[in-house]
Amino acid sequence: MTGENHFSKNKRGFWTQWILTLACTVTCVASPHAAPPNMSSAEIDQKVSSTLKRMTLEEKLGQLQQLCGAWDGDCLPEDFALARQGRLGSTIFIRGAKRTAELQRVAVNESRLHIPVLFAFDVIHGYRTIFPVPLGEAASWDPRGAERSTSIAADEASAAGIRWTFAPMVDIARDPRWGRIVEGAGEDPFLGMAMAAARVRGFQGTNYGLPDKVVACAKHWVAYGAAEGGRDYNTAEVSERTLREIYFPPFKAALDAGVGTFMSAFNDLDGLPGSVNSFTLSKVLRGEWHFDGVVVSDYNAVNELIAHGVAADGKDAAAQALNAGVDMEMFSRLYNENGAELLKEKKVSRKTIDEAVRRVLRLKYQLGLFEHPYADEAHEKATLLNPAHLKAARELAARSFVLLKNERGTLPISKDLKSIAVIGPLADDPQNILGPWCGDGRKEDSVTLLAGIRAKLPGATVNYAKGCDVTGNSTEGFNEAEDAARQSDFVIVAVGETSSMSGEAASRSSLDLPGRQLELIQAIHAIGKPYAVVLMNGRPLSINWLATNSPAILETWFAGTQGGNAIADTLFGDANPGGKLPVTFPRSVGQVPIYYNHKNTGRPPGVDPKSPLPYLDIPWTPLYPFGYGLSYTSFAISNLQLSAAHIRPDGSITASVEVKNTGDRAGDEVVQLYIHRLVASVTRPVQELKGFQRVSLQPGESRRVEFLLGPRELGFYDRAMRFAVEPGKIQIKVGASSEDGLESSFEIIKPR
Ligand code: BGC
């Protein structure tokens, strides 16, 4: 990875480098082991300035254009024409070492200024080796795991010519109707921050200029997850306080981790769509946070300013987005179509255009694209689906599973059984298990649950029956499924959602199991054989009947290429589930939005028995709370200690507990710390996650787990909207979910 590439920069002069680079573009492929660009930012700036000076306006606008290739990854004829004219800044979808190199050769060899194209793609949870969907990955509460999966994704994507991923999606989502909840880390900003930073670190490494890294993109800036009614693309009404405390923090964490780019969101927020929002783009992102990287619009979002009703036409839309600081336009071509006129009419300044181009060129230099423009087919072949990647996918998938219920030790299943029924529409489905945004993942590479179980139990009879589809009304397959169950010692039923029921433009008004799946489970239940339900889905589901009646429920999200093996590992005890819910599971869609870090209100339900309950017809509590998840072993958390009884506002305090594996198998517990501030200048949530650690323990083993709380964790936005640590009493709770734990408290005291 760090070996010196024979045309790396060192201290050679600019022209020498150009000549060498050009020579190499004809004769060499980029070494996958090349060094990152050996240039200081001053050197890069100087190169950018000198390139900028030589560019025509057309070429400049071309750098601000991102166009699509074909969905299957191929180039379109127009891509070649524009690349030849030096008018193609970036593409999406075009992928594969051969295809990207073909187009890149045209840009580098045939365009006037030889500026390479930047190939982008949505590498969300893996490129070819697919990992669990991000919501599942968040359920692992394992940022190191997320760093590992994204690092592998970067390795594979870059081998296929992709150097820019539109991930991580760090939108907080408190509404499970919204299909894109699957793409993020759930409802909590603290967990969201940890996962955002980890994913950025994994994609970008220490330097995204390394050829096996990609530049990441924090999206969608911002509050897209607050879409009203969970309807995709919808308006978000969010107060500045909630923006700053809930929706901004994962973006800030991505920024602090060095994220190279941001994407402006589709939604309007306080009357302004993401691509013209002067508060979020100019005041916060560029102003307060000093972000000077590329901001790309979401797909067609500049053009959509017209439908939003804030731009009269394409020209107006282009002017507003450029002036708001959106550097690159994805899909629509309004910058290119109108840029010259806008400049002439002084609606956009040359400086604004130059600044946008400067950011794009700087990114290309930082990525080392000028030195290593091409991916290499042999390296790609050796990298995609490499056995180490598949092994990681299997391990990380198992870490994402959440055991929701396990009555009388139904799971794990004994490997000695003679026969097992594997039932359900998702049991042998190689496509859906990959999830909704699965890069270049292919169903022919994926291991279904049925295949995983067959591999796990080569000597047993495996009776498979689909039973029904995920959607639709047919129960024709029920008889066959019931027969399979009757003939077997144990039954596994795999149900849930299709992958297309979550993701973009995939909101649902119901959180129930779709189609006839619940009836299928009820039919199996009636037979009386021991059984477990395996859920595959991209959002919380209101599975009340299952929660009451089924003996065991394992939430596996969409687990990816190795999903079937990982589920089989878990069902048979080779892996012990240790995941916890990163999002609340409601009892009913009518409770939505429901999230653990809500406010108390003036009549807190459940505290004063005389207070009215929020609903007349259902309990107000969730079906499964945030942070919840079981294990095959048991843990005891004890001996909560605080390092001080009081601290100053600028001080910090350590909370620690002992966690012990009190059962008889190795397992993981996620120890979680929550705080609650009793009195403050503004209302505060009933609890806020401020620390967590996933700990692996052997039977009988115990460990002390420590959490440090300082101003970052204890501060909030006060009445004057300043981030401050106010004096007052802080309650602490440390436990295994948001609904239990040991409690203590300390005071923050103003120094005299
Ligand atoms: C999505 C983005 C995505 C882009 C490119 C848009 O529709 O909102 O998340 O990165 O398409 O595929």
Side-chain angles (χ1 to χ4, degrees):
M1 199 149 67
T2 51
E4 177 74 353
N5 179 276
H6 56 284
F7 54 91
S8 79
K9 292 226 153 7
N10 288 336
K11 299 281 180 284
R12 294 182 201 122
F14 178 76
W15 288 110
T16 322
Q17 283 166 32
W18 263 114
I19 291 158
L20 284 168
T21 304
L22 280 177
C24 281
T25 59
V26 183
T27 55
C28 329
V29 290
S31 159
H33 301 290
N38 193 8
M39 278 185 277
S40 66
S41 47
E43 280 172 298
I44 290 181
D45 282 346
Q46 188 234 318
K47 280 181 187 304
V48 169
S49 298
S50 97
T51 308
L52 205 53
K53 269 194 210 128
R54 292 180 295 139
M55 291 173 87
T56 63
L57 178 63
E58 252 197 348
E59 286 165 339
K60 287 180 186 174
L61 293 170
Q63 286 303 311
L64 308 184
Q65 181 70 62
Q66 181 171 74
L67 283 184
C68 298
W71 280 100
D72 69 356
D74 224 340
C75 307
L76 302 173
E78 190 197 9
D79 297 324
F80 288 102
L82 286 171
R84 194 166 287 120
Q85 294 161 25
R87 290 175 54 211
L88 186 59
S90 175
T91 64
I92 21 174
F93 308 135
I94 297 174
R95 57 192 184 274
K98 185 160 180 276
R99 287 153 159 181
T100 52
E102 259 167 33
L103 182 58
Q104 194 68 298
R105 284 212 167 81
V106 173
V108 170
N109 296 337
E110 299 179 33
S111 74
R112 198 176 70 89
L113 295 174
H114 316 288
I115 300 172
V117 174
L118 172 49
F119 296 102
F121 191 45
D122 293 282
V123 182
I124 308 292
H125 51 110
Y127 177 74
R128 181 74 181 268
T129 302
I130 302 303
F131 293 90
V133 288
L135 189 63
E137 193 165 77
S140 69
W141 295 57
D142 178 15
R144 276 207 206 128
E147 193 170 333
R148 198 168 152 212
S149 78
T150 44
S151 160
I152 292 171
D155 201 10
E156 293 196 351
S158 58
I162 301 298
R163 297 300 306 284
W164 187 9
T165 178
F166 295 131
M169 189 279 223
V170 301
D171 295 315
I172 295 293
R174 292 169 152 186
D175 190 332
R177 291 171 297 183
W178 190 52
R180 302 197 79 167
I181 195 169
V182 70
E183 290 177 58
E187 74 189 32
D188 180 63
F190 190 84
L191 179 60
M193 285 167 74
M195 299 311 284
R199 286 173 181 153
V200 170
R201 286 196 302 270
F203 282 130
Q204 297 191 166
T206 49
N207 182 343
Y208 53 71
L210 287 161
D212 60 351
K213 291 294 164 199
V214 297
V215 64
C217 181
K219 75 182 188 187
H220 308 83
W221 179 246
V222 58
Y224 184 29
E228 276 183 354
R231 295 188 288 280
D232 208 358
Y233 315 121
N234 208 5
T235 300
E237 277 299 338
V238 187
S239 70
E240 182 176 344
R241 186 179 313 285
T242 305
L243 281 175
R244 290 192 183 274
E245 290 189 354
I246 305 292
Y247 291 92
F248 285 178
F251 286 93
K252 184 61 167 45
L255 186 73
D256 292 344
V259 76
T261 71
F262 267 65
M263 183 185 291
S264 59
F266 287 128
N267 58 286
D268 84 287
L269 171 69
D270 194 20
L272 292 178
S275 298
V276 293
N277 194 317
S278 44
F279 173 66
T280 57
L281 284 173
S282 314
K283 183 164 191 296
V284 178
L285 184 61
R286 302 280 195 209
E288 294 175 21
W289 296 359
H290 308 292
F291 177 68
D292 197 25
V294 169
V295 174
V296 62
S297 79
D298 204 342
Y299 191 98
N300 200 38
V302 177
N303 188 37
E304 289 173 18
L305 295 171
I306 304 170
H308 272 291
V310 295
D313 51 26
K315 190 167 143 191
D316 189 16
Q320 291 196 46
L322 267 169
N323 286 328
V326 176
D327 303 307
M328 186 178 271
E329 183 182 1
M330 190 194 292
F331 181 70
S332 53
R333 302 165 186 227
L334 304 176
Y335 288 8
N336 273 265
E337 287 165 7
N338 301 290
E341 246 180 87
L342 288 170
L343 192 64
K344 208 156 96 208
E345 293 168 12
K346 298 202 168 34
K347 292 195 169 126
V348 171
S349 69
R350 186 170 297 278
K351 183 161 174 272
T352 300
I353 293 176
D354 282 0
E355 272 316 299
V357 179
R358 185 179 287 282
R359 291 194 190 105
V360 172
L361 291 180
R362 197 191 293 138
L363 178 62
K364 291 187 176 185
Y365 275 105
Q366 287 167 339
L367 279 164
L369 278 185
F370 286 85
E371 296 155 295
H372 318 297
Y374 307 116
D376 165 25
E377 280 181 72
H379 175 60
E380 178 188 44
K381 194 153 179 267
T383 305
L384 304 190
L385 298 172
N386 134 353
H389 298 181
L390 295 176
K391 184 167 175 282
R394 183 168 179 163
E395 283 167 18
L396 294 172
R399 288 175 79 77
S400 76
F401 301 156
V402 183
L403 185 62
L404 295 175
K405 189 173 177 194
N406 195 20
E407 237 170 39
R408 293 184 296 278
T410 305
L411 293 176
I413 312 163
S414 160
K415 284 186 201 157
D416 296 334
L417 50 68
K418 302 268 174 307
S419 59
I420 185 163
V422 181
I423 288 172
L426 292 166
D428 194 28
D429 184 327
Q431 183 64 54
N432 283 310
I433 201 166
L434 294 177
W437 212 313
C438 58
D440 202 41
R442 303 184 186 176
K443 67 176 182 192
E444 54 272 25
D445 304 330
S446 71
V447 180
T448 67
L449 172 56
L450 179 62
I453 286 178
R454 285 203 168 119
K456 184 67 73 184
L457 296 183
T461 307
V462 180
N463 299 309
Y464 166 69
K466 187 174 174 193
C468 62
D469 289 327
V470 171
T471 53
N473 256 330
S474 171
T475 54
E476 261 171 37
F478 277 27
N479 285 344
E480 193 195 352
E482 288 165 284
D483 285 347
R486 279 192 204 98
Q487 288 157 25
S488 308
D489 300 335
F490 195 98
V491 186
I492 292 164
V493 197
V495 293
E497 299 178 302
T498 61
S499 56
S500 61
M501 295 175 94
S502 57
E504 187 173 349
S507 294
R508 291 184 63 206
S509 70
S510 161
L511 301 176
D512 295 342
L513 279 175
R516 309 301 287 264
Q517 297 181 98
L518 177 57
E519 286 151 79
L520 176 67
I521 297 169
Q522 289 168 336
I524 300 302
H525 181 88
I527 290 170
K529 290 279 171 93
Y531 75 98
V533 176
V534 171
L535 292 173
M536 300 185 191
N537 47 283
R539 58 161 60 75
L541 295 176
S542 47
I543 40 166
N544 297 286
W545 191 91
L546 270 55
T548 310
N549 299 289
S550 297
I553 310 169
L554 183 69
E555 172 59 81
T556 68
W557 318 103
F558 292 118
T561 306
Q562 283 289 309
N565 281 332
I567 301 171
D569 289 344
T570 308
L571 291 173
F572 290 92
D574 292 332
N576 189 349
K580 303 274 181 172
L581 294 180
V583 64
T584 304
F585 271 43
R587 294 172 194 273
S588 142
V589 75
Q591 292 180 312
V592 170
I594 178 171
Y595 44 88
Y596 86 95
N597 49 353
H598 59 87
K599 302 287 183 70
N600 223 3
T601 82
R603 298 183 180 186
V607 176
D608 178 352
K610 282 190 247 105
S611 279
L613 290 173
Y615 299 109
L616 298 177
D617 51 350
I618 50 166
W620 65 283
T621 52
L623 181 61
Y624 293 112
F626 176 82
Y628 169 85
L630 305 171
S631 165
Y632 296 155
T633 187
S634 53
F635 297 95
I637 296 178
S638 63
N639 197 6
L640 169 59
Q641 285 181 9
L642 298 181
S643 62
H646 41 80
I647 60 168
R648 291 159 42 124
D650 59 353
S652 53
I653 187 168
T654 304
S656 66
V657 290
E658 196 165 304
V659 52
K660 181 171 186 187
N661 182 343
T662 52
D664 54 8
R665 36 173 89 230
D668 290 6
E669 180 59 289
V670 180
V671 185
Q672 304 159 42
L673 178 144
Y674 296 86
I675 65 165
H676 172 52
R677 187 178 270 276
L678 292 176
V679 182
S681 63
V682 290
T683 60
R684 301 302 306 153
V686 292
Q687 53 178 336
E688 298 173 81
L689 181 74
K690 292 295 176 184
F692 66 87
Q693 271 183 51
R694 180 166 174 153
V695 193
S696 301
L697 294 171
Q698 294 300 316
E701 191 186 352
S702 64
R703 191 167 317 155
R704 211 150 181 94
V705 176
E706 285 195 356
F707 302 98
L708 185 69
L709 299 173
R712 199 180 77 123
E713 289 75 27
L714 300 171
F716 60 92
Y717 286 85
D718 66 10
R719 253 184 223 203
M721 205 60 84
R722 285 174 312 223
F723 188 80
V725 181
E726 289 184 353
K729 187 171 176 183
I730 309 284
Q731 279 183 335
I732 297 262
K733 186 175 75 177
V734 186
S737 96
S738 63
E739 279 202 349
D740 64 48
L742 302 171
E743 292 183 12
S744 186
S745 64
F746 67 94
E747 294 265 348
I748 298 176
I749 297 174
K750 215 187 200 154
R752 261 176 284 148

